[in-house]
């Protein structure tokens, strides 16, 4: 049996595979959306890291309420807050600096009535 000498490597199949993988990545990456809430937080002189396990309630400048990035009406926010344990659950409140103060006070009133102990008001 005669062996042929290995002088060069055929890279065409490798290039084909790389191009197919590139097309797959580009096609799927365009469908992935980052679901974020556009809120311009007010500034503060003191800063503390936000607890990653906390429940996030956000209010944007149009007065729309969000519970963990899910837009809900205020009565649903109130129902979900009432279902939480005020002693162990941590709630982070994000409000846009242009949000009318009334929306902020409504959420705080619900948490105060329930007796929440772990509330953080997020600023930048």
């Amino acid at each position: 049996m005669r062996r042929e000498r290995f002088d060069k490597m055929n890279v065409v199949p490798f290039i084909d595979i790389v191009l197919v993988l590139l097309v797959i990545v580009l096609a799927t990456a365009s469908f992935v959306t980052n679901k974020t809430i556009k809120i311009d937080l007010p500034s503060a002189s003191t800063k503390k890291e936000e607890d990653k396990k906390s429940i996030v309630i956000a209010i944007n400048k149009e007065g729309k309420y969000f519970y963990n990035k899910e837009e809900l009406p205020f009565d649903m926010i109130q129902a979900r807050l009432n279902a939480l344990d005020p002693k162990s659950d941590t709630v982070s409140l994000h409000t846009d600096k242009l949000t009318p103060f009334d929306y902020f006070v409504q959420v705080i009133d619900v948490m105060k009535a329930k007796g929440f102990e772990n509330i953080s008001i997020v600023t930048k």
Side-chain angles (χ1 to χ4, degrees):
M1 182 162 151
R2 196 172 136 210
R3 292 184 136 185
E4 291 187 28
R5 191 169 172 193
F6 183 72
D7 287 336
K8 53 189 168 182
M9 190 165 120
N10 188 5
V11 293
V12 173
F14 176 71
I15 293 172
D16 290 341
I17 291 171
V18 169
L19 288 176
V20 168
L21 290 175
L22 181 66
V23 167
I24 290 170
V25 167
L26 291 176
T28 57
S30 64
F31 294 113
V32 176
T33 58
N34 189 3
K35 192 173 185 182
T36 59
I37 304 165
K38 301 248 187 227
I39 293 181
D40 187 17
L41 295 172
S43 299
S45 59
T46 58
K47 219 189 230 190
K48 185 181 172 190
E49 289 297 317
E50 182 182 359
D51 186 13
K52 296 296 179 191
K53 297 179 284 185
S54 69
I55 291 97
V56 176
I57 296 177
I59 310 168
N60 66 6
K61 63 184 173 185
E62 289 86 28
K64 295 180 182 175
Y65 294 94
F66 297 88
Y67 185 92
N68 287 338
K69 297 184 181 179
E70 177 186 1
E71 184 178 349
L72 295 173
F74 178 71
D75 57 339
M76 290 294 295
I77 298 284
Q78 187 174 7
R80 289 200 181 180
L81 284 173
N82 286 331
L84 296 175
D85 182 20
K87 303 267 187 234
S88 64
D89 290 327
T90 303
V91 177
S92 295
L93 186 56
H94 299 242
T95 58
D96 192 282
K97 63 183 176 182
L98 299 176
T99 301
F101 193 63
D102 186 42
Y103 296 112
F104 174 79
V105 170
Q106 285 178 339
V107 175
I108 292 294
D109 280 345
V110 170
M111 289 191 282
K112 185 178 177 184
K114 182 74 174 166
F116 276 90
E117 296 178 358
N118 302 316
I119 301 171
S120 61
I121 299 169
V122 181
T123 60
K124 7 178 199 185

